[in-house]
């Protein structure tokens, strides 16, 4: 029995029938489509390919790169990726207690690099090219307007009026997921008094393949290495969390004035700066779906969880969703949309997601608070990690190569 689409639509001839439909052609959806096709499934992916042009990048850590290598995707991305050798955290909160700087380096844990940074638009375009070249994937460049969950399959209706039947729908359609909503899965949401300003930057001095986070009272200001381009040999991406009032004021600045403020916030270690992209503004919020799966539906990526871009966790976590889904589907037998494997997927993801959501929340709020005991706890944590090698290495491994990663 189907729910939520008018009878005439349900009875209409199907345009397409596949094993698995991925909703949403963002970075996570495209990776999911490619990985599901690699596992032998017939896949459709529905969504519009849009260049966001918002100065956003994704830093992917070693665990994610291992997944992309295992899926034979990484060799197609290396020419757009810049390596990250180290991450330096610099306290700029003017806390009344001394808080030391902290550096996490790849060779601390025997790696050549901690990860790589890629421009968001370039990543989506490159993954879309790979999807187009894959004969096991139908790329349907259209929006999903309705979904019906039936006993034996799920049907998606497109704006064009066409339909796609599948055994399983993978919701990768972002925070406002229609797929999640139509399945009756709720969300828990919360907000932060912050806006993230994003941009690509060209600068005078080298970044030495090092990402730097300046921790301020309004949140971190993070610069991450980017690949050079013609006439811009030194480039980095910026994610700068600030109060909504400061974001509004900076929205009104011209490019030269804004670049000067960024160079100043980065304590002039990059020398003079120029904007190398449009600027993006993102109000900071968190969201977690009340469950990650149901009969015929699995939620991944920002359809399942979203949080502020501290410690660059979003897409890294999403790739772990995909790895866990592949692993659960392997044991599914004939019907990949049956409840048992999807319940297994949901259970496998909950602890990892909840640890990140809570960890990011605590880290973010600890910077915003000027309550002395909170500053002392943060200072103690930084001091312990800087002085105690095994603790620092354990924290680094948890960040870049988490044990729950399935690849
Ligand atoms: C400022 C900022 C910086 C970040 N930095 C990092 C980082 O360094 N590292 C990291 O790992 N993560 C980072 N993230 C998170 C990361 O960008 C996201 O996790 C990542 O983009 C994956 O998002 P997604 O594919 O789930 O969602 P989206 O990118 O929102 O994609 C959802 C897709 O679904 C489509 N869609 C929506 N509705 C429909 C519909 N009805 N039918 C069809 N398609 C639909 C949308 O058009 C879109 O293409 C950052 C996030 C922010 C805000």
């Amino acid at each position: 029995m189907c729910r939520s689409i008018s009878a005439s639509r349900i009875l209409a001839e199907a345009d397409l029938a596949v094993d698995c439909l991925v909703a949403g052609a963002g970075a996570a959806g495209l990776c999911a489509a490619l990985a599901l096709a690699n596992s032998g499934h017939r896949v459709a992916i529905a969504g519009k390919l849009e260049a966001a042009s918002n100065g956003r990048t994704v830093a992917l850590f070693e665990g994610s790169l291992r997944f992309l290598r295992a899926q034979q995707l990484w060799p197609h991305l290396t020419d757009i990726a810049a390596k990250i050798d180290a991450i330096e955290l610099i306290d700029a909160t003017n806390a009344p207690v001394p808080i030391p700087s902290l550096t996490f380096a790849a060779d601390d844990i025997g790696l050549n690099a901690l990860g790589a940074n890629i421009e968001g638009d370039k990543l989506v375009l490159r993954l879309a090219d790979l999807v187009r070249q894959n004969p096991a994937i139908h790329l349907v460049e259209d929006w999903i307007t309705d979904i019906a969950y039936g006993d034996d399959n799920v049907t998606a209706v497109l704006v064009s009026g066409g339909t796609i039947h599948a055994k399983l729908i993978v919701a990768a359609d972002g925070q406002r997921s229609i797929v999640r909503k139509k399945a009756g899965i709720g969300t828990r949401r919360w907000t932060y008094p912050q806006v993230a300003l994003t941009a690509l930057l060209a600068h005078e001095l080298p970044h030495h393949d090092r990402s730097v986070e300046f921790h301020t009272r309004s949140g971190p200001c993070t610069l991450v290495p980017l690949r050079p381009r013609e006439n811009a040999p030194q480039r980095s991406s910026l994610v700068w969390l600030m109060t909504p009032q400061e974001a509004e004021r900076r929205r009104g600045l011209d490019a030269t004035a804004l670049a000067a403020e960024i160079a100043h916030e980065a304590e002039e270690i990059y020398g003079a700066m120029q904007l190398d992209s449009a600027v993006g503004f993102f109000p900071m919020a968190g969201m977690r779906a009340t469950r990650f799966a149901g009969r015929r539906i699995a939620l991944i990526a920002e359809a399942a969880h979203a949080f502020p871009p501290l410690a660059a966790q979003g897409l890294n976590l999403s790739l772990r969703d995909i790895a866990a889904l592949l692993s659960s589907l392997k044991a599914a037998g004939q019907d990949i949309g049956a409840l048992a494997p999807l319940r297994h997927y949901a259970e496998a993801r909950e602890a990892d997601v909840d640890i990140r959501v809570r960890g990011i929340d605590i880290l973010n709020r600890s910077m915003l608070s000027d309550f002395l005991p909170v500053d002392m706890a943060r200072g103690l944590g930084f001091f312990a990690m800087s002085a105690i090698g095994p603790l620092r290495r354990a924290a680094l491994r948890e960040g870049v190569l988490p044990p729950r990663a399935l690849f």
Side-chain angles (χ1 to χ4, degrees):
M1 190 186 73
C2 289
R3 301 184 296 271
S4 104
I5 305 181
S6 66
S8 58
R9 281 220 160 132
I10 296 163
L11 294 174
E13 213 29 42
D15 291 323
L16 197 55
V18 289
D19 299 326
C20 187
L21 168 61
V22 178
L30 291 161
C31 283
L34 289 158
L36 286 160
N38 278 351
S39 291
H41 301 293
R42 290 174 306 134
V43 180
I45 175 166
K48 296 265 188 190
L49 293 161
E50 303 160 309
S53 303
N54 54 18
R56 258 169 69 174
T57 68
V58 278
L60 294 174
F61 295 122
E62 177 62 17
S64 298
L65 303 191
R66 288 187 185 184
F67 173 74
L68 294 172
R69 282 186 204 112
Q71 295 296 328
Q72 283 106 45
L73 299 177
W74 184 239
H76 302 280
L77 302 175
T78 49
D79 67 314
I80 53 171
K83 79 173 175 142
I84 305 168
D85 275 353
I87 299 172
E88 190 173 358
L89 312 184
I90 297 175
D91 185 74
T93 58
N94 294 319
V97 289
I99 298 180
S101 296
L102 186 56
T103 301
F104 296 102
D107 52 17
D108 262 5
I109 52 171
L111 296 176
N112 289 328
L114 293 178
N117 192 30
I118 306 180
E119 291 173 39
D121 285 346
K122 287 189 178 164
L123 177 63
V124 167
L125 289 179
R126 189 59 65 85
L127 292 169
D129 281 347
L130 295 172
V131 161
R132 282 196 189 93
Q133 290 160 21
N134 191 317
I137 308 176
H138 292 271
L139 172 61
V140 182
E141 293 193 48
D142 201 353
W143 301 102
I144 295 171
T145 56
D146 207 351
I147 314 274
Y149 293 94
D151 285 341
D152 300 326
N153 63 17
V154 51
T155 302
V157 179
L158 306 167
V159 167
S160 63
T163 55
I164 305 176
H165 287 315
K167 293 277 170 214
L168 168 67
I169 189 162
V170 175
D173 52 341
Q175 293 195 37
R176 280 185 275 278
S177 169
I178 185 177
V179 177
R180 182 188 65 219
K181 200 166 149 205
K182 292 282 176 182
I185 300 177
T187 57
R188 186 168 67 83
R189 292 176 186 272
W190 60 99
T191 57
Y192 298 91
Q194 293 160 305
V195 170
L197 183 158
T198 56
L200 310 184
L201 304 166
H203 44 85
E204 187 185 10
L205 301 176
H207 48 57
H208 302 294
D209 301 327
R210 179 175 280 246
S211 171
V212 183
E213 282 185 20
F214 299 91
H215 287 185
T216 79
R217 281 288 182 223
S218 56
C221 171
T222 306
L223 286 103
V224 190
L226 270 185
R227 277 191 90 80
R229 64 167 184 76
E230 213 182 342
N231 300 326
Q234 303 298 336
R235 294 170 76 229
S236 293
S237 59
L238 172 76
V239 180
W240 186 4
L241 269 63
M242 58 190 68
T243 63
Q245 295 75 19
E246 277 297 279
E248 214 35 55
R249 183 185 68 75
R250 291 193 170 112
R251 205 189 272 274
L253 295 179
D254 66 29
T256 311
L258 180 57
E261 289 203 7
I262 297 166
H264 178 72
E265 189 74 5
E267 302 184 356
E268 314 293 344
I269 64 174
Y270 295 86
M273 282 185 171
Q274 280 180 330
L275 293 181
D276 198 31
S277 72
V279 176
F281 291 90
F282 300 90
M284 290 293 92
M287 187 282 295
R288 185 203 190 278
T290 49
R291 55 195 167 91
F292 294 158
R295 191 167 160 73
R296 311 233 161 266
I297 175 174
L299 307 183
I300 66 164
E302 292 206 342
H305 44 72
F307 40 76
L310 276 75
Q313 289 296 313
L315 189 59
N316 288 283
L317 205 57
S318 309
L319 295 181
R320 298 210 286 281
D321 295 344
I322 298 168
L325 182 60
L326 295 182
S327 161
S328 297
L329 294 185
K330 256 190 207 146
Q334 287 293 311
D335 187 2
I336 58 169
L339 191 55
L342 297 173
R343 201 174 263 160
H344 179 269
Y345 160 71
E347 282 164 8
R349 293 308 296 140
E350 281 188 354
D352 191 18
V353 169
D354 288 340
I355 285 170
R356 309 288 149 176
V357 167
R358 264 199 300 273
I360 301 283
D361 189 66
I362 291 168
L363 179 63
N364 194 21
R365 291 190 197 278
S366 76
M367 268 179 255
L368 301 185
S369 165
D370 58 2
F371 186 46
L372 183 63
V374 176
D375 275 337
M376 286 170 72
R378 197 158 51 87
L380 210 62
F382 271 48
F383 183 76
M385 270 199 270
S386 143
I388 307 169
L391 187 64
R392 187 176 62 254
R393 288 192 285 277
L396 182 53
R397 263 193 216 98
E398 179 62 32
V400 304
L401 261 179
R404 281 168 300 281
L406 297 166
F407 30 88

